[in-house]
Amino acid sequence: MSAVHAEAEGMPQGHFTLPDPSLSRVLEVENLIVDVPGRRLLDGISFWVPKGEFVCLCGPNGAGKSTFLKTVLGLMPPTSGSIRIMGKPAQKALREVGYVPQRKTSDMTFPARSIDLIVASMRGSWPLRIREEERARAAEILRHVGGEKLLEKEIARLSGGETQRVFLARALVNKPSLVILDEPTAGVDVKGRAEFLDLLAEISASDELAAILVTHNLAAVARCAERVVYLDAGRVSAWGLPSELLGQASLSAISAVAGGDHAAHSHHHHLPDEE
Amino acid sequence: MDALLEPLLVPFMQRAMIAGAVVGGLCAMIGVFVVQRGLSFIGDGLAHAAFGGIALGLLLGVSLERMTWVALPFTVLIALGIGYVLRRGSLRGDVATGVFSAVSFALGVLLLGLRSTDGPQVNVETVLFGSILAISPDDLITVGVVGVVTAVLLAFTWTKLAYATFDPELAALSGVKVAALDYMLLALTAVVIVVAVKTVGIALVSSFVVIPAATAKMVGRSIGRVALLAIAIGTIGSSIGLILSYHANVASGATIILTLGAVFGLALLLRRR
């Protein structure tokens, strides 16, 4: 990694350390704009994630984090700009992405076991019967995330922490290059959250798997992030090392870029921790 | 035992048994997805929409026997309209269904009033509460064709439909055509509802969709088992209800639904233990 000034197009000028540009890029977003009638949700987002890097995507509610994720995942069309995953247009590389959604998006009353979810991710369709090799693979990936006892458990009976383990397993089962986690610890109890953070820290230590974690949880940022991208009002306000952004001086910089009253009150600013 | 099964020897009862079993199974099959998606109200809404289609047919001079062919496209259009509103994300499912069904029903009432007084008399009670005992051989063919088409379509799309029901975003990420499946499910629901209206009527048809699926959901541990169980409950419950109504000489549609309701109550009690 090299310490450089932020000079990418659309980036604020400041002393943020960007990834080494010579590293291969798992995700590359260039000047991404997303409009809905009467409103611009994303306003020229540009950054990249090199192989193996764990990025925390932060920002206040309404900053565009969810829109950004949906666009990367192909669930929302970009108005302009480009998203490339492993060098290919995002729509053609979705198998390279593992996704852990917010807990509220899935129907947890659905009559299913953990193994069904994982095999559905492997097949791209819901399994009626599970083959032995699929069972073995599901068991292996659950063991990898410390959830070996959850294989046959009904999803309606999973605790918050167990649910996220299973969803992480289903995201990892196809050996993606990039895993995207959307506030995975929101609504999870303290013990479950701490255990899940341990898991995320393991992913962060991996040199192979890149990750984007959307979070409001400062503990998660401090524990896992190798880089932080801070969104505000649909723009990248800051992109750098956690130490640079979590420090008081850089928060002032973020606030200054965000503009208006924020700059004047920068000494009061914190990354929001809503969990 | 022979006396109990005596109705099976009577031709109109044979037709009613076949129609009831097929419609019961179809409604249950559709109901598994409808109930799981929290759209239980849609059966009722589309039945009311079908009334608009029936009234339109009557205005156009179509006989009550052939009314299905007018009600079908009308109700499917309403279902697709509900689907479009749902996908726009601006309204909840119950609101969209409520608006579309109320407008269709009101349109039906209006169209009935515009009919020429010389036209054939319509027994509104038959439309509201069904007439499974009056199922004709032609009706049976319609039920059969709809049954085969629906079963084949659901069988081919089952695994994708289940995935999209669990989580549409994850399914879309896995390459499932979620929007197309949503519209297909709504259209199939409309078709099955229109055919089912003939058997248990507008007022009771949604129970045919909801009760077997809701009962099976309390007992089954996988979506496949829930579906099989729901189909069994819909099919067998319909047959038992029909036989009971024959012997007790009471309304058949209502008896079928009460039978299904009793099975639901039993499942509820057993689950609590």
Side-chain angles (χ1 to χ4, degrees), chain A residues 70 73 75 99 105-107 109-112 117 120-121 124-126 128 154-155 167 170, chain B residues 36 158-160 162-163 165-167 169-170 172-174 176 217 220-224 226:
Chain A
K70 283 185 177 176
L73 293 169
L75 300 171
Y99 177 48
T105 63
S106 301
D107 178 2
T109 70
F110 197 86
L117 258 68
S121 180
S125 62
W126 199 265
L128 288 176
E154 288 174 63
I155 59 170
F167 274 80
R170 71 160 293 292
Chain B
Q36 194 64 48
W158 175 267
T159 57
K160 308 277 184 190
Y163 200 2
T165 301
F166 168 67
D167 190 319
E169 279 192 1
L170 293 180
L173 283 176
S174 293
V176 175
K217 191 168 148 50
R221 291 182 62 201
S222 73
I223 190 73
V226 167

Side-chain angles (χ1 to χ4, degrees), chain A residues 20-254:
Chain A
D20 182 346
S22 66
L23 292 174
S24 68
R25 299 173 183 193
V26 172
L27 174 72
E28 186 163 20
V29 184
E30 274 187 281
N31 203 23
L32 180 66
I33 293 175
V34 174
D35 290 336
V36 292
R39 212 149 63 95
R40 176 152 290 185
L41 300 179
L42 296 183
D43 192 7
I45 303 268
S46 297
F47 72 94
W48 74 87
V49 180
K51 185 180 173 187
E53 184 165 282
F54 196 109
V55 175
C56 278
L57 185 64
C58 304
N61 290 334
K65 302 188 296 294
S66 295
T67 305
F68 175 76
L69 286 195
K70 283 185 177 176
T71 314
V72 169
L73 293 169
L75 300 171
M76 229 174 146
T79 305
S80 64
S82 79
I83 304 166
R84 299 185 76 79
I85 296 169
M86 298 297 283
K88 291 178 274 188
Q91 283 291 4
K92 292 183 179 171
L94 287 178
R95 293 291 285 183
E96 296 284 348
V97 182
Y99 177 48
V100 181
Q102 288 188 23
R103 288 178 65 210
K104 62 188 177 192
T105 63
S106 301
D107 178 2
M108 296 307 286
T109 70
F110 197 86
R113 300 159 300 163
S114 305
I115 188 173
D116 296 324
L117 258 68
I118 296 168
V119 175
S121 180
M122 290 161 70
R123 288 190 194 177
S125 62
W126 199 265
L128 288 176
R129 287 189 179 176
I130 292 170
R131 293 188 287 271
E132 268 316 304
E133 62 270 26
E134 291 172 324
R135 174 177 298 277
R137 174 74 185 129
E140 180 196 342
I141 197 72
L142 264 177
R143 199 163 40 246
H144 180 64
V145 299
E148 54 270 32
K149 291 177 183 167
L150 307 176
L151 191 69
E152 297 287 344
K153 196 165 178 180
E154 288 174 63
I155 59 170
R157 296 179 190 276
L158 295 173
S159 70
E162 288 174 341
T163 302
Q164 290 314 83
R165 260 173 218 273
V166 171
F167 274 80
L168 183 60
R170 71 160 293 292
L172 297 177
V173 72
N174 294 323
K175 299 181 178 166
S177 307
L178 173 69
V179 60
I180 293 178
L181 305 108
D182 188 3
E183 300 194 42
T185 56
V188 176
D189 61 49
V190 175
K191 182 169 175 281
R193 200 185 307 168
E195 287 172 357
F196 197 72
L197 277 184
D198 290 342
L199 268 176
L200 295 186
E202 270 182 44
I203 292 177
S204 176
S206 156
D207 291 333
E208 293 298 316
L209 183 63
I212 297 178
L213 169 67
V214 173
T215 185
H216 285 136
N217 186 342
L218 272 184
V221 176
R223 181 90 192 271
C224 308
E226 292 172 88
R227 196 92 42 190
V228 176
V229 173
Y230 193 88
L231 291 190
D232 198 359
R235 294 178 182 190
V236 175
S237 286
W239 174 25
L241 297 173
S243 56
E244 295 165 337
L245 272 82
L246 291 169
Q248 192 65 45
S250 293
L251 279 179
S252 302
I254 294 166

